[in-house]
Amino acid sequence: NQGIKDYPNDDRGFAQRAFIYQTIAPALSGAKNKAIADLKKAVAINPQNPDYFRKLGSLYEAVGDLANSSSAFYNAYTICTLISKNMT
């Protein structure tokens, strides 16, 4: 949390905290929703990171939100496709 306070515009802090919430989700009620919220903040800061969308897709699927899950996975695919095209 201190890293997020010190660097509120750094997506990596939110992504790391989301990973922690996701890891402890089996033991903490509401942790998946907290992870989703943090990943949404990371995406708002850095919308070109396909890993954030992939992780969001998995979390949305885990909470039963299939519409947002599909959208997140599609965004990850789209970004990866653009990156791949730019590399060739």
Side-chain angles (χ1 to χ4, degrees):
N1 286 337
Q2 187 63 43
I4 291 172
K5 288 178 186 174
D6 291 343
Y7 304 98
N9 295 320
D10 189 339
D11 55 294
R12 296 171 297 176
F14 291 104
Q16 182 62 36
R17 189 168 69 180
F19 173 76
I20 293 167
Y21 281 133
Q22 188 174 11
T23 301
I24 64 171
L28 180 65
S29 177
K32 288 179 186 172
N33 289 324
K34 289 180 180 185
I36 289 170
D38 275 348
L39 280 171
K40 287 171 70 174
K41 290 175 186 173
V43 164
I45 296 167
N46 182 4
Q48 298 304 313
N49 188 324
D51 287 335
Y52 297 163
F53 285 104
R54 182 185 53 77
K55 291 174 184 176
L56 264 176
S58 294
L59 283 164
Y60 279 130
E61 182 179 12
V63 297
D65 186 344
L66 300 183
N68 278 322
S69 176
S70 296
S71 178
F73 282 128
Y74 178 78
N75 287 332
Y77 169 78
T78 301
I79 294 167
C80 286
T81 301
L82 291 172
I83 291 170
S84 177
K85 286 182 181 178
N86 288 334
M87 294 178 71
T88 57

